[in-house]
Amino acid sequence: SQQGEEDPQALSIQEGENATMNCSYKTSINNLQWYRQNSGRGLVHLILIRSNEREKHSGRLRVTLDTSKKSSSLLITASRAADTASYFCAAYTNAGKSTFGDGTTLTVKP
Amino acid sequence: KAGVTQTPRYLIKTRGQQVTLSCSPISGHRSVSWYQQTPGQGLQFLFEYFSETQRNKGNFPGRFSGRQFSNSRSEMNVSTLELGDSALYLCASSLAPGTSSDEQFFGPGTRLTVL
């Protein structure tokens, strides 16, 4: 399996609910970044968490990082229909190489 | 501040042809990375340029090449196009890799279709 795998592959929730996506990676990282992509467009940067950080918040987003388990999670609270998109994690090594996961497709129903 | 721009946005080529895609990073950003996105393989790293030098390279054949100019603009070239090269090619820029300012910002992509 590839580094930077997301779980679940697809998630469908009602507006107002929370959405949690998980990401696993294989090698040591410098940082991990989460992105959102709408329908085959460019990626929008959401949040960066460094290897020495455990948790980070940005608005309705909360990201955690567990380097011992080589995993990260993205929590979107109080979801909105506009949050419908694909979400990707990308693991960045100290050498600067990045590996993206396959993404989680989130559908938020109004 | 303008975001990352990519040209052209859409491109149709035939097998055997070559193509050049262009990326202009955010002003002040010196690192440019290229990615290929396909339904089957997902997002795959092609290469990264910093200060006109290729800093990292992904696992793509030599038909894929790139360069960066002194103004940090970057181009990637694909020669002898194959059907499997049809993809969304994304460019991303950051201030400098491996620093505290290494958040990557992506452009809208170039959709390449090879017939």
Side-chain angles (χ1 to χ4, degrees):
Chain A
S1 55
Q2 293 185 5
Q3 176 157 311
E5 294 187 348
E6 279 96 345
D7 164 51
Q9 287 189 327
L11 184 60
S12 182
I13 59 175
Q14 294 292 137
E15 216 167 22
E17 294 181 337
N18 295 341
T20 300
M21 289 159 259
N22 302 298
C23 166
S24 62
Y25 56 93
K26 292 192 171 182
T27 62
S28 296
I29 61 170
N30 175 281
N31 67 78
L32 188 140
Q33 302 184 35
W34 285 89
Y35 297 87
R36 184 185 74 233
Q37 185 178 38
N38 290 85
S39 298
R41 298 186 178 182
L43 276 69
V44 174
H45 187 272
L46 295 176
I47 199 164
L48 178 155
I49 187 165
R50 300 200 180 278
S51 60
N52 62 351
E53 297 176 311
R54 292 297 166 258
E55 188 171 313
K56 209 162 182 181
H57 297 255
S58 177
R60 295 184 294 113
L61 306 179
R62 172 178 170 255
V63 168
T64 61
L65 179 65
D66 187 335
T67 52
S68 66
K69 294 180 180 178
K70 291 186 167 56
S71 67
S72 173
S73 68
L74 170 67
L75 168 67
I76 304 174
T77 59
S79 62
R80 306 166 181 167
D83 294 330
T84 294
S86 291
Y87 292 82
F88 295 88
C89 71
Y92 290 78
T93 68
N94 286 326
K97 279 196 170 185
S98 58
T99 306
F100 278 75
D102 293 332
T104 292
T105 300
L106 173 66
T107 302
V108 182
K109 300 173 187 174
Chain B
K1 193 183 266 191
V4 178
T5 58
Q6 292 186 244
T7 56
R9 292 293 310 278
Y10 301 92
L11 204 49
I12 299 175
K13 291 284 187 179
T14 56
R15 278 180 296 176
Q17 288 186 310
Q18 75 165 25
V19 67
T20 299
L21 312 181
S22 179
C23 171
S24 293
I26 292 172
S27 178
H29 283 196
R30 295 168 61 195
S31 172
V32 174
S33 297
W34 288 90
Y35 297 84
Q36 180 196 66
Q37 187 178 30
T38 60
Q41 299 297 319
L43 265 156
Q44 292 188 290
F45 171 75
L46 279 157
F47 26 65
E48 178 199 6
Y49 286 87
F50 177 70
S51 293
E52 301 178 66
T53 302
Q54 189 179 85
R55 186 169 173 266
N56 281 302
K57 190 176 189 305
N59 298 322
F60 278 81
R63 298 185 299 107
F64 292 81
S65 62
R67 59 178 176 169
Q68 186 180 34
F69 301 95
S70 58
N71 61 358
S72 295
R73 191 177 69 85
S74 176
E75 289 181 346
M76 68 162 281
N77 184 77
V78 187
S79 62
T80 319
L81 283 166
E82 301 177 358
L83 295 178
D85 297 333
S86 294
L88 180 67
Y89 288 88
L90 294 162
C91 164
S93 76
S94 63
L95 272 168
T99 70
S100 60
S101 302
D102 51 4
E103 292 180 343
Q104 283 200 321
F105 296 89
F106 281 76
T110 293
R111 173 76 62 186
L112 172 65
T113 302
V114 182
L115 303 176

